[in-house]
């Protein structure tokens, strides 16, 4: 049985993108639908167009490069934004997984999957870029010290952001905050 890899790429149940130097060189229909975009709006574009801000795009790239370099893969939950369509500009939680084709040059080329988590985890509060990063790590079960190391900030700074998140979500403790973040 011959397998049509192009058809498999197109029909994959997750958004897929092939990248070169953090630019999309190809993507499937599912990714286009998820971000409310046409293929021509994505191919040839930097992944930055899918992020809430250029700052988050840059920080994410800096954070994942050493991990891609060391392990060849990376995954996390992060807030992305719809590019176009009726939900243009809408932020949503997305699970992103990537594999570098060359661990020594992790951004050189890779394949990325995107899974829309908005049905299970809607974005309800207005969060800053750093609050979104801290929230994603809290949901992954990391401590303030672990989050601080991952984001290259002090654990006390993480605690300040966690306190802000607790106020925004009216959470009584970190467990309650994580529950509310997971629920949206």
């Amino acid at each position: 049985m011959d397998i049509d890899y192009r058809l498999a790429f197109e029909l994959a149940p997750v958004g897929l993108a092939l990248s070169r130097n953090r630019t999309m060189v190809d993507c499937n229909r599912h990714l286009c639908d998820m971000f409310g975009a046409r293929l021509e709006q994505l191919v040839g574009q930097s992944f930055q167009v899918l992020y809430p801000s250029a700052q988050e795009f840059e920080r994410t790239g800096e954070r994942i490069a050493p991990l891609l370099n060391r392990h060849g893969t990376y995954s996390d939950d992060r807030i992305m934004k719809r590019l176009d369509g009726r939900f243009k500009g809408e932020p949503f939680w997305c699970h992103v997984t990537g594999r570098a084709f060359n661990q020594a040059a992790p951004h050189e080329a890779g394949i990325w999957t995107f899974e829309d988590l908005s049905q299970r985890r809607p974005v309800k509060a207005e969060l800053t870029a750093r609050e979104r990063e801290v929230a994603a790590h809290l949901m992954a079960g990391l401590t303030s010290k672990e989050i601080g190391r991952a984001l290259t900030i002090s654990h006390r700074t993480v605690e300040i952001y966690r306190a802000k998140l607790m106020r925004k979500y009216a959470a009584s403790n970190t467990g309650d905050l994580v529950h509310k973040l997971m629920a949206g």
Side-chain angles (χ1 to χ4, degrees):
M1 173 185 192
D2 287 336
I3 296 175
D4 182 345
Y5 289 99
R6 183 68 202 174
L7 184 61
F9 181 81
E10 283 301 323
L11 297 178
V14 296
L16 290 172
L18 295 173
S19 68
R20 195 169 296 289
N21 299 312
R22 301 189 76 197
T23 296
M24 293 173 269
V25 295
D26 198 5
C27 63
N28 67 359
R29 174 64 35 211
H30 194 83
L31 186 79
C32 292
D33 292 345
M34 184 184 315
F35 286 94
R38 295 181 320 280
L39 186 67
E40 357 8 293
Q41 289 176 287
L42 296 178
V43 172
Q45 293 296 312
S46 164
F47 281 105
Q48 182 178 333
V49 300
L50 307 178
Y51 281 77
S53 70
Q55 181 183 24
E56 286 176 84
F57 170 74
E58 293 301 328
R59 275 204 307 250
T60 300
E62 291 167 7
R63 185 176 69 244
I64 67 176
L67 296 167
L68 279 169
N69 190 275
R70 191 172 333 125
H71 305 293
T73 62
Y74 179 82
S75 71
D76 69 14
D77 290 350
R78 65 180 77 147
I79 291 183
M80 305 294 285
K81 75 168 185 191
R82 313 267 187 217
L83 182 64
D84 210 347
R86 71 177 205 192
F87 298 112
K88 182 178 182 173
E90 174 188 79
F92 69 102
W93 281 102
C94 189
H95 181 75
V96 180
T97 303
R99 174 174 292 280
F101 292 166
N102 176 2
Q103 280 182 246
H107 288 310
E108 180 180 81
I111 185 162
W112 295 88
T113 66
F114 296 80
E115 181 186 359
D116 185 344
L117 302 177
S118 60
Q119 293 300 315
R120 295 186 305 245
R121 187 184 306 158
V123 177
K124 291 186 180 170
E126 287 293 320
L127 303 177
T128 66
R130 187 62 87 184
E131 287 169 343
R132 286 191 285 270
E133 290 175 328
V134 170
H137 287 298
L138 284 170
M139 289 185 294
L142 274 64
T143 65
S144 291
K145 286 185 180 183
E146 292 167 328
I147 295 169
R149 279 193 296 274
L151 299 178
T152 62
I153 59 177
S154 78
H155 73 281
R156 296 208 188 281
T157 302
V158 172
E159 290 168 3
I160 290 167
Y161 282 106
R162 184 176 54 205
K164 289 179 180 181
L165 287 166
M166 289 176 69
R167 278 193 302 278
K168 287 184 178 186
Y169 280 88
S172 57
N173 57 45
T174 302
D176 186 33
L177 173 61
V178 170
H179 175 75
K180 289 179 176 186
L181 285 167
M182 298 293 260

